[in-house]
Structures are given as C-alpha cells and as structure tokens.
Amino acid sequence: DAGVTQSPTHLIKTRGQQVTLRCSPKSGHDTVSWYQQALGQGPQFIFQYYEEEERQRGNFPDRFSGHQFPNYSSELNVNALLLGDSALYLCASSLRQGRNQPQHFGDGTRLSIL
Amino acid sequence: QQQVKQSPQSLIVQKGGISIINCAYENTAFDYFPWYQQFPGKGPALLIAIRPDVSEKKEGRFTISFNKSAKQFSLHIMDSQPGDSATYFCAASGSNYQLIWGAGTKLIIKP
C-alpha cells in the first residue's frame, strides 16, 4: 500500500522562475493539503484540495496556486520565486469524510532558490 | 488566537527516562490535537492524536494528556530510547481542517 509520494525530491531554481511540485495521495485518500516548512520551523498550511477545488487557504500570496486531478493527485505551482520561498514543501493526504481525519505526509520536495 | 505554543525547543533525556513536551493553544474552537514525529530528511509521521472529550490517550510508550480548561496538552514518552531521537510537533485543528503547528521540539535520547 503506497503512501504519499512527492516529486521531485530536490529542486534548485533562481529568483523569478516558476516551479511545479507534484503529489500522489495515499491509496483511498481523496483530499490533499500542501504545507511549507522552513528550516527549523513547523509546517505552515498553504491550501487544501478536495473534489478538484481549493477548499481552504492559509496566509500565502496568490503566487502559490494548485490543482487537483480526477485521480486525486495534486500539483503545487509557485510563480515569481523569491529567496524566501526556499523551504521543504510537504504534501499530506486524508479522507474528507468525517471530521479531522488523520493527515499522512510525504517526505517533501526540498526547494532551493538561488 | 490561531497559535500553538510548544516547549521546550530542545530536550535531552537519558535512555529509559521520560520525555515530556508541552503545548498550549488559544482557540477554543480547536477540537483535534495530533502529535507528529519527524526524522531528518523525512516528512512528519502521525504518532498519536486526541480529541477534547478525553483527558488522556495512551498508545504503547506514548501518552497524550489533555487539559481542556487550561487549554494545554502534552506528550509523554515513557522508557525513551535512542531511536526516539527526532523532532516532535504538536498541532491543532478545528472545523476548517487546517492544521496549526507548534514550532517543534528537538529530542535527543542519550544512550
């Protein structure tokens, strides 16, 4: 039973570029959430996707956008990259049905901005 | 009001000892409190979670204690082992399903 998988594992970009990160949820899960984790800090919620729509959004600018596909996989897109976007980007999947179902995390994509 | 405050920032415990990590929250609408364990280079892994209708939950060597009136909850790791050395995060969420995270505690278990 595959868990949450993310790709790529590492990525290096320069300021102003655009990046797309990908996530496949755990088998049977229908909801995907994205988090940004800066070095030495706790994850910060970016947004959550369910039924191919953004359902919740944290305090992130609209340079951060996403998409969910019919197979529940998801992409995170970041435009006009800034140095401060350097972080570990985590994807978590869960079941929407029922309140506060456990979120299962992938190992993340380490994004470095030069 | 959305914050979750976690302490201590780092903790060193002897093998076999009890590790205790504390968290406090302000938003009374939070109704789900998970603890996650994260090893270097890995994503967070769910350890144990509690809802406010119980004051304690135990799974193996891990116990969550919950004090609703004080808006505090804590993780106790009994018989701590070197393999428990990791960063631990508390978190909380309410009806909007957003997990709000503490800043993390780096735990080192000395052999």
Side-chain angles (χ1 to χ4, degrees), chain B residues 3 7 9 12 23 27-28 36 38 48-49 52 59 63 66 73-74 90 93 103 108-110:
Chain B
Q3 282 186 320
S7 63
Q9 189 174 13
I12 300 174
C23 283
N27 188 344
T28 55
Y36 282 83
Q38 187 175 29
I48 186 172
E59 289 184 3
T63 300
F66 186 83
F73 58 111
S74 60
C90 62
S93 68
I108 297 172
I109 308 300
K110 287 191 134 183

Side-chain angles (χ1 to χ4, degrees), chain A residues 35 37 40-45 48 56-58 88 90 96 98-108, chain B residues 9 29 31-32 36 38 41-46 51 89 93-104:
Chain A
Y35 294 81
Q37 186 176 23
Q41 297 183 22
Q44 298 289 317
F45 176 78
Q48 183 180 84
Q56 298 289 338
R57 189 177 183 94
L88 180 68
L90 295 163
R96 181 73 172 187
R99 193 174 174 85
N100 284 318
Q101 293 298 311
Q103 294 190 24
H104 296 257
F105 284 79
D107 288 336
Chain B
Q9 189 174 13
D31 61 0
Y32 176 69
Y36 282 83
Q38 187 175 29
K42 295 292 187 180
L46 179 65
R51 299 184 194 277
F89 292 95
S93 68
S95 60
N96 65 3
Y97 300 94
Q98 286 187 36
L99 273 177
I100 307 300
W101 296 68

